[in-house]
Amino acid sequence: MANIKLDHIYKVYPNGVKAVSDFTMDIKDKEFIVFVGPSGCGKSTTLRMIAGLEDISAGELYIDDKIVNDVEPKDRDITMVFQNYALYPHMTVYENMAFGLQLRHVPTEEIHERVLWAANILGLTDYLDRKPRAMSGGQRQRVALGRAILRNPKVMLLDEPLSNLDAKLRAQMRSEIAKLHQDLQTTFIYVTHDQVEAMTLGTRVVVMKLGEIQQIDSPKNLYDYPQNKFVAGFIGTPQMNFFQATLLRKGDKIEIKFEWSDNKLTVDANDLIKVQPYYLDGKHKVWFGIRCEDVRLATSEDKDDLENVFNVKISHFEELGNETLIYGDINMQGDGFKETSTRIIVKALNSNNLKIGDVVKVKLNISKVHFFDFDTEVSIVPRIPTLNVISCKINGHELSFDGNKLTLPKVVEVSNGEGQLYLPISALSITPNGKFDATIINIEQVEDKKLAYLKLNERVLFLLVDDTAKIGDHVKLDIDITQITIKNGEKTLVSTLKKYNEISATFINYVSANTNEKNKYNPLLDSRISEVNKDYDDKLKEINIKYDALVKENSSKDLAAIKTENLKKIAELTNDTKEKLKQLEINYKKGVADVKKQHKVNKKEVVAKVKEEQEKIKKEENESYKKFLKVNKDKDVYHKRKAEHQDFKENYPKERENLINKAIDGESLIFETALNGIKAPYKRDKKMIKNSYKSAVKKLRDEYNIISVLNKQRQDEIVKLEKERKTALMKAKQIFFLKINGHLYQSPDTISNKMIQGLGTKVFVKDFTVEIPNDKIYVSDEGLKATVTSFLDYGEKKFVICNVKEEDGNEHEFYVLHDSEIKKGTEIHLSFELMDTHITEKSMNLRIY
Amino acid sequence: MAKVERYHSKKAKEITSKTIIYIILVIMAIIWLVPFIYLVIQSFTESYSPSQIIPEHWTFQNYINLFTDEIYPFGRWYLNTLVIAIITAVLQTIITLMTAYAFSRLRFKSRQGYMKLILVIGMFPSFLGMIVTYFLLQLIGLSGSIFGLIVVYCAGAGMGYYVAKGFFDTIPRSLDEAAMIDGANKNTVFWKVILPLSKPIVVYTILMSFTAPWGDYMMASYLAQGKQELFNVAVGLQQMMAKGKDITYFPQFCAGAVIVSIGIMALFFWLQRYYVEGVTGGAVKG
């Protein structure tokens, strides 16, 4: 079972280039993850960081809940397949595959078994004794795969494994990799720049660009719900058509106007219900994207429906056999060749009756259109909208929108006027005592969440619901006023209540803290150390008890008798093994001699054959030339023929030599393969016999030396234990503190680890921002000193606003969820748990915890 | 017609140019070979006279004298040289290749700096430090022994990393990485993956580090301080000619020179089959 967690991973090169920024992802066991993106997007770098071939600049990498940032590649239990296979050329296929296990001192028999198993899966059984250079590209890649699966790793990493193969082989290997994943049931991480591989192989695909994650989703969702314009354009061939457009809401209809084109669409507002209302004002430019399969040539039935029809001037065709791509332009002056924002590609069955330059009508499938913000290129049709935006009016403390009225609490400072009400979906909830009546008109399943469409008077609002809600239910809706924002253009009339309180902090170690605080923390250190010592003393006792029991159990045996008997057995075994090895060597030598003899004969034969053929060709040429001389009378022709003959005479020896060499090379390769076929198994068998002899002898010896063996075992265990104790003690002595406004907070080990992991020794000179959620900070007897400035009463929720003055004079406003009012000007103390906070490094803006 | 004639003239041109080239080459070869052939012939002569190129009486006695002569213990010198050269070749090859591997694969601070420094230091003639070297050897008590020479030869071994580094650079890094993922550490990668792939460069390095002490005169004569039992062949043979005011020892000197060159030739012929073998084929995409 291997889960991988990448937690805010960064790769920054010494020259300051950020190759990977803030990569966060959870990979579940048995998933097939594909990293895809154009070259230079950091996908390979990320993979190499997981493999341990590149250092991680910041962030944490977990494999099975263990941080592996500083673990050597070989100890991460991963394997990797490289783009260029990276086979060891001086080893046979068998040795290539066995190398990793040999380095891990796996018993020879087990290696043999596993190699045969892997070779069987990949169809390499016949090639085990070949060297890589005698194999084709596809076979080599299969060996590389075999080497990887052999160790039964937790994670398989594949770095563009198919890009060196030709198209046909690639398709074949692709399905083999898919099958391998099914059979092995391990986690695969696969890097490719080919979106076809990404879509066909991945259970989830990570699209990357310039070191940043663009979207992580299933292939289907990437295609259907791209989160930004880059993903939309990257996934799918041919590329999605993009136009610049503006959207204008006119009652129940929305009018879409296009730049540089007279085309116009008018569609039902319900078709674009999730488009954020902010964009429907006819002023904000958006990208209008539609895939070519959602565009078709208009038929005679569409003639009367002129609303969703486009005029397109055809520029050229791409014939694909089963269908035709029609390239055109929605701008009648455009040329349709360049990738402009007016070019359109239409998929059609054929191009019959169409000519270049024709203007045709095409119909768009409006429900498949994607919209993106013009500047940020982020989708403005999110699957789960985070915001509901409604026009509203404020008069006094009364907020009215869409015929609904809401009284704002007195504490909220408002100015009168019109504006836009921003309601995050987290601010809406269905409760029995809600203030508004609404109807659920639709429920959409998005991944594991349920999105409800709620009708409130004329408006449709979105919120997340649980399984109990059903379509058609009449429900009561409540709005959390602390989360609303009201804006009028750039001006904010009412703002969301701050969720997090910020304060700066520094990180210090035990010694500095203890010195500053006059040895206040000595007892803490002592208790931590004694805890560890006690733990290990107990373990040590256990080992000794176990040893005593075993010694007692064995001391009753007659060891001398066992010794004589076993010595006899060893002598027998030695003779036996010698005999076996001798036989093996005889066979081997005979085999090699045979092959060599055969090779000599074959070589002679091959060379003779080539020579004979060449001789024949020479003879033929000479004869034909002689004949020609006899017959021909034309001088011109004679000169030509003579030159030809001269050419032949000159080139003949060279050609003959070449052919002979080629024949010898071919035969040598066959010879080498045959030789390896004898050598490699011989070496293998010899080793296996020797190893099994050694282990058998050791076992027999151990039987009569049992007491000293047991003692050695105990010693080993004690040494290991003491080593562990040493590291544990070292860890216990590592106590760190966060200094916040003069107070020292002992940093929990998880936070300390992350801080040091992320920043190294620089951690002590950096400044951090600690963000404390306003519902996780409490008024108490000690802690941060603060002065109350005011009190906010939202009805159900009440907040104390107070001022925290830092030592350097900076003041921070804190919002504290509190039940009762505290008088203005009162000095209070605030306490909180560090585990509830977020910690960010200030200068690089690295999120640490 | 015209075409045919041009064909002839082209051919004629080719023949003349080739003839000229071969004549030059033959002359150069003769100039190169004559001294050696002369040496070999003289080693078989009974008594040397400068006017006589082909000796009157052929004899093998010079070779026998070489090893039986008590004034000049050639056998002892040969043994000295062999021990020095073999130990130096082994140590120097290992040091050179390891340095080259480190410069090729590891990325450490001052890597570039070291490489440049070594290049610059290598430009100074080695005899500049001879006197200092002698005092240093005296300090560690090796000034009167052939092992002092071995230390001196091996001390600068790392500086010859350049050619081997160039070769290692051509071996794909992904091989190292694959081995590291397979469970190898840098040491295992070097011995089990890189070295077997680098046979030509290993052979080259062995040959280079063997021939240098084999034919060294300056450092060897300086450290031997005139003690015959510390001579190597180069110093010894020079002694043979320097002391003899007459030319009695010249045929013996020639015989010594022939035996010295046989050692090198044997080594070269033994190693040359690895020298040509191209071994990187099939490592990666082919």
Side-chain angles (χ1 to χ4, degrees), chain A residues 203-218:
Chain A
T203 49
R204 277 199 295 162
V205 177
V206 181
V207 183
M208 294 179 74
K209 179 195 171 193
L210 297 175
E212 279 171 24
I213 297 179
Q214 301 293 313
Q215 190 171 352
I216 304 176
D217 224 326
S218 67

Side-chain angles (χ1 to χ4, degrees), chain A residues 710-828:
Chain A
L710 282 176
N711 194 22
K712 185 149 187 301
Q713 264 173 19
R714 181 181 67 146
Q715 293 298 345
D716 287 350
E717 272 173 52
I718 289 174
V719 168
K720 204 175 133 204
L721 196 72
E722 286 304 320
K723 227 180 188 174
E724 274 172 30
R725 183 206 291 260
K726 224 171 156 188
T727 37
L729 276 177
M730 213 172 77
K731 265 192 194 150
K733 281 179 196 161
Q734 281 174 349
I735 309 174
F736 297 96
F737 298 88
L738 272 165
K739 192 173 185 180
I740 300 173
N741 207 8
H743 287 272
L744 289 178
Y745 290 84
Q746 193 197 332
S747 159
D749 285 349
T750 32
I751 293 183
S752 306
N753 282 342
K754 288 193 178 209
M755 300 278 267
I756 292 163
Q757 199 68 254
L759 293 163
T761 49
K762 277 181 279 177
V763 73
F764 300 113
V765 293
K766 298 273 184 190
D767 289 322
F768 301 91
T769 305
V770 178
E771 289 175 310
I772 315 161
N774 56 25
D775 52 348
K776 295 278 190 203
I777 184 163
Y778 313 100
V779 176
S780 71
D781 300 335
E782 54 179 317
L784 283 179
K785 220 188 260 172
T787 320
V788 177
T789 50
S790 60
F791 185 70
L792 282 183
D793 186 358
Y794 279 100
E796 283 163 28
K797 287 181 180 174
K798 298 181 177 68
F799 293 92
V800 172
I801 303 180
C802 49
N803 230 337
V804 177
K805 204 168 176 186
E806 277 191 56
E807 280 172 332
D808 57 7
N810 279 341
E811 286 193 8
H812 296 274
E813 200 169 53
F814 269 46
Y815 286 68
V816 182
L817 191 67
H818 195 63
D819 301 335
S820 53
E821 187 170 351
I822 299 177
K823 240 195 208 163
K824 197 173 158 185
T826 323
E827 291 241 318
I828 54 168

Side-chain angles (χ1 to χ4, degrees), chain A residues 539-577:
Chain A
K539 280 184 191 166
L540 196 65
K541 240 182 237 163
E542 247 170 62
I543 289 175
N544 282 330
I545 291 170
K546 204 176 90 194
Y547 169 72
D548 288 341
L550 281 171
V551 168
K552 210 172 163 191
E553 195 185 306
N554 281 300
S555 57
S556 57
K557 287 181 190 164
D558 181 6
L559 291 177
I562 296 177
K563 187 173 175 178
T564 29
E565 196 182 319
N566 280 2
L567 280 178
K568 223 162 79 193
K569 275 187 198 163
I570 289 174
E572 263 171 44
L573 203 65
T574 315
N575 276 337
D576 231 36
T577 311

Side-chain angles (χ1 to χ4, degrees), chain A residues 48 84 88 90 151 650, chain B residues 11 174 177 181-182 192:
Chain A
R48 290 165 60 82
N84 52 17
Y88 314 121
H90 57 294
R151 270 201 280 128
E650 203 170 273
Chain B
K11 178 129 192 170
S174 52
E177 287 168 353
I181 286 176
D182 264 346
K192 292 210 165 154

Side-chain angles (χ1 to χ4, degrees), chain A residues 610-619 621-622 645-660:
Chain A
V610 173
K611 276 184 181 163
E612 196 184 310
E613 271 168 23
Q614 287 302 306
E615 211 53 48
K616 211 169 129 199
I617 291 172
K618 193 180 169 187
K619 220 166 128 192
E621 164 69 17
N622 282 342
H645 186 66
Q646 284 285 353
D647 255 358
F648 173 79
K649 256 166 72 182
E650 203 170 273
N651 290 332
Y652 171 74
K654 261 190 231 157
E655 207 162 294
R656 199 178 103 132
E657 184 79 29
N658 276 345
L659 285 171
I660 289 174

Side-chain angles (χ1 to χ4, degrees), chain A residues 97 134 415 456 469 529 556 578 596 645 652 663 694 699 824:
Chain A
M97 297 214 268
S415 39
L456 183 75
I529 289 176
S556 57
K578 266 186 191 157
K596 275 188 180 159
H645 186 66
Y652 171 74
K694 264 186 213 158
K699 209 176 142 203
K824 197 173 158 185

